[in-house]
Amino acid sequence: MRILYQLLAVLFMMLQGAAGKRFIPGQTYQCQVQNGRCIPGICRAPYYWAGSCGKGYSCCKRYVEV
């Protein structure tokens, strides 16, 4: 019976941790709307930084001369 209480306590702690995570919906979608790409790290030429995609990814757009 004691193991049941421990399992319930662990389950409760996991649910509390999952509920506290920050999630910003649509970051990748917002980058695609701007005609950008999510690239790990920093943007390199011929791309420039247009925003953040989360988890260490940058939203990069191709530089176009007009």
Side-chain angles (χ1 to χ4, degrees), residues 11 20 29 33 39 44 46 57 60-61:
L11 177 65
Y29 177 72
V33 167
I39 298 175
R44 305 222 189 283
Y57 284 73
C60 301
K61 290 178 68 174

Side-chain angles (χ1 to χ4, degrees), residues 1-64:
M1 194 61 144
R2 182 177 172 123
I3 189 83
L4 179 63
Y5 290 122
Q6 288 178 345
L7 289 174
L8 286 174
V10 169
L11 177 65
F12 179 73
M13 288 176 22
M14 287 174 52
L15 289 175
Q16 289 293 320
K21 287 186 180 175
R22 216 177 89 197
F23 176 69
I24 302 172
Q27 283 183 329
T28 304
Y29 177 72
Q30 291 174 356
C31 184
Q32 290 173 352
V33 167
Q34 299 178 32
N35 293 328
R37 295 182 180 177
C38 290
I39 298 175
I42 61 173
C43 301
R44 305 222 189 283
Y47 295 96
Y48 67 94
W49 188 79
S52 177
C53 293
K55 295 186 180 180
Y57 284 73
S58 298
C59 180
C60 301
K61 290 178 68 174
R62 183 177 281 274
Y63 181 74
V64 179

